[in-house]
Amino acid sequence: MTATGAIEATGARDAPAGPWWWPRRRSAVLDVSLAAVSTVETAFEGLDFAHDTGLPTWAGLLLGLVVGPVLLLRRRWPVAVVLVSVAVTPAQMGALLGMIGLYSLAVSDVPRRVIGLLAGMAVAGTLVSSFFTIRQDVGGEPDFNPPTWFVLVMAVAVALVVTAPPVLWGLYVGARRRLVESLRERADGLERELSLLADRAEERAEWARNEERTRIAREMHDVVAHRVSLMVVHAAALQAVALKDPEKASRNAGLVGDMGRQALTELREMLGVLRTGEGSSGRSSAPVSDEPERLVAVASKAKAKAKAAGSGAGGPGVRSEVSVQVAEAGAGSGGSGGGAVRGGAAVVTAEPEGEGPSLAELGDLVGQSRAAGMVVELSVDGAAGEAGYPSGVEQTVYRVVQEALTNVHKHAPGAEVRVRLAHREGEVAVQVENGPSERGAAGVGLPSGGNGLVGMRERVTGLGGVFVSGATEAGGFRVSAVLPGR
């Protein structure tokens, strides 16, 4: 059973702890003082009780000395203090003990029904004792003979005056302390919750940084690895036929140059987006400009002209012209407009909506591998709907095929490859399967970081698709992906 000490302990957390059950030294000093006063009171009342009842004086004094110090237990066992005060009420002893005991009982965490029961017992004991005392005192007055109901009313008034104020005051103080304690617990809980939210926010920020680093690494891998792999394949072919077939060596040299320029262009685009993204974080208040969109449009035209030049005869010259156009577009945004470009570049992504690779470019992608000497078969089943697919889905399918072809260049030189694209109802599926590497086919020594399959899986599953990869029974390798069409 919890007494008031458990409540008062919360009111002075920084105060020095007291001995035994006292929460503070000040509380111990107060209770000792009250017990001393109560002991003196009960000692004198014990002497009067012994004189009135004819008991030995030492018996009355001993009773008072035993009853008075019980007040020391009011914080630990308030019920015991009230029971002792009720027990000595017929002897007209312990007025201070009874009032302090009732207050301590009401302010404690004792159930209300127990408080009501003990308070009723105290009122009944005080009422009976007061009734007989008042009637005896009134009976000794020959000139005053009041009726019995008057004596009863006076006894009830005395009983209520002695017991009601301590109980009501104790209930008020106890409720106030419990309210303060609940408010303090709520404040502590809010503080812990805020601390937890801060920790979670830090974890989310760290997770976001890791995700962004992973995304950037995946984009860099997809953009550069394929081009560089083809460059290495063409360079190896160039080295093999340099003396035997100068014309073919010249073509391979041109292809190496084209691949290198494409890789550099895509790398510059990626790094440019990252730099403008960093600039926008520190210049969020800068006015938003349409320069980034204009640059993206110019870059798109540059890509189109580069493709046309790659199929024609004047490839390098046209590429130089396109580079000049992009440079002029960038120069036009300089000066005072440069800040606006940085401020508005937050809307540009690694592969802007509608500007990244699409399913229509799969033929060009397969053609590049064929030009490198790979035997590739591309088949398309069905047709896309009128609305087509989201750009993210098309870019993911393109990247899966791109990475799968790159892996064939790395790990299975000379192998035949089959690329299948299937348009289904509500989804699009792609499969890239290669056979075993041809005997005697020499590898080009391309390094492998082991991130290609991981990147493909992350891209596909990030869009809610399914990705499967593994070796075939014929000794080749198969990569399959199914993505939702919406």
Side-chain angles (χ1 to χ4, degrees):
M1 188 174 293
T2 305
T4 60
I7 301 175
E8 294 184 0
T10 62
R13 298 182 177 181
D14 299 331
W20 294 344
W21 54 80
W22 284 285
R24 294 172 293 171
R25 294 180 183 178
R26 188 174 65 180
S27 301
V29 172
L30 175 62
D31 288 356
V32 169
S33 301
L34 291 176
V37 174
S38 176
T39 301
V40 173
E41 177 198 5
T42 54
F44 281 103
E45 291 173 345
L47 293 176
D48 293 339
F49 176 71
H51 181 267
D52 294 339
T53 57
L55 294 174
T57 303
W58 63 267
L61 181 61
L62 179 61
L63 179 61
L65 295 176
V66 171
V67 172
V70 174
L71 199 57
L72 291 171
L73 307 176
R74 74 181 188 92
R75 298 178 190 270
R76 183 73 171 181
W77 295 292
V79 175
V81 175
V82 175
L83 290 176
V84 171
S85 67
V86 172
V88 297
T89 298
Q92 298 183 358
M93 296 175 58
L96 179 63
L97 177 67
M99 289 189 293
I100 299 298
L102 288 174
Y103 168 80
S104 302
L105 177 68
V107 82
S108 67
D109 288 336
V110 175
R112 292 295 179 86
R113 61 179 182 275
V114 177
I115 295 176
L117 176 62
L118 294 178
M121 293 174 59
V123 170
T126 305
L127 175 63
V128 173
S129 177
S130 300
F131 177 80
F132 287 105
T133 301
I134 293 173
R135 192 174 68 172
Q136 182 179 1
D137 293 340
V138 170
E141 298 290 338
D143 298 333
F144 184 68
N145 190 16
T148 303
W149 64 266
F150 177 80
V151 177
L152 181 60
V153 170
M154 293 298 296
V156 170
V158 171
L160 293 178
V161 169
V162 172
T163 58
V167 173
L168 295 178
W169 181 251
L171 292 175
Y172 167 74
V173 173
R176 183 175 178 275
R177 287 178 179 174
R178 282 185 286 272
L179 175 62
V180 171
E181 177 61 20
S182 65
L183 293 177
R184 183 180 288 111
E185 289 179 355
R186 289 179 60 185
D188 294 341
L190 289 175
E191 184 177 358
R192 288 191 297 269
E193 184 176 354
L194 289 176
S195 177
L196 183 60
L197 289 176
D199 294 341
R200 290 182 178 176
E202 177 109 11
E203 292 176 359
R204 285 196 297 269
E206 183 64 25
W207 176 83
R209 286 192 292 268
N210 293 334
E211 287 293 315
E212 188 65 14
R213 282 194 291 267
T214 303
R215 186 189 67 82
I216 293 173
R218 185 170 59 243
E219 294 290 341
M220 298 289 287
H221 178 274
D222 292 341
V223 167
V224 178
H226 181 72
R227 303 292 184 188
V228 175
S229 299
L230 292 179
M231 288 173 59
V232 174
V233 171
H234 285 300
L238 175 63
Q239 184 180 8
V241 301
L243 298 178
K244 299 179 182 179
D245 190 350
E247 184 178 354
K248 186 175 182 180
S250 177
R251 289 197 303 269
N252 287 338
L255 291 174
V256 169
D258 291 343
M259 293 298 173
R261 281 186 287 272
Q262 292 177 13
L264 287 176
T265 300
E266 294 180 353
L267 182 59
R268 286 194 191 101
E269 291 176 359
M270 176 67 66
L271 295 178
V273 169
L274 294 178
R275 289 195 184 99
T276 52
E278 292 175 357
S280 65
S281 63
R283 300 175 176 85
S284 59
S285 61
V288 178
S289 173
D290 62 346
E291 292 297 330
E293 290 78 359
R294 192 162 65 87
L295 290 177
V296 170
V298 173
S300 302
K301 294 180 181 179
K303 286 185 179 180
K305 290 187 177 182
K307 292 178 182 178
S311 60
V318 177
R319 292 180 186 276
S320 300
E321 179 184 352
V322 173
S323 300
V324 170
Q325 291 180 2
V326 176
E328 290 176 353
S333 62
S336 60
V341 171
R342 290 174 178 265
V347 298
V348 183
T349 59
E351 289 178 345
E353 187 77 16
E355 297 297 339
S358 62
L359 296 181
E361 301 178 32
L362 283 180
D364 296 337
L365 179 64
V366 172
Q368 293 173 2
S369 294
R370 286 173 180 165
M374 179 185 293
V375 179
V376 188
E377 176 188 349
L378 174 62
S379 62
V380 180
D381 297 335
E386 297 181 359
Y389 302 109
S391 60
V393 173
E394 295 195 10
Q395 293 167 11
T396 299
V397 172
Y398 182 93
R399 294 303 186 193
V400 168
V401 176
Q402 184 184 58
E403 181 60 29
L405 294 177
T406 302
N407 289 339
V408 175
H409 284 296
K410 290 181 180 179
H411 308 293
E416 296 183 358
V417 184
R418 291 179 297 277
V419 180
R420 298 186 180 95
L421 179 66
H423 300 281
R424 303 172 183 171
E425 184 178 357
E427 63 182 16
V428 57
V430 63
Q431 183 184 85
V432 181
E433 181 179 353
N434 64 274
S437 178
E438 287 186 356
R439 294 182 180 180
V444 293
L446 288 170
S448 177
N451 298 318
L453 292 176
V454 175
M456 286 190 282
R457 185 181 302 277
E458 289 177 350
R459 282 182 176 274
V460 173
T461 56
L463 294 177
V466 179
F467 178 83
V468 179
S469 63
T472 63
E473 296 180 356
F477 199 83
R478 181 186 298 117
V479 172
S480 302
V482 179
L483 291 97
R486 294 290 180 268

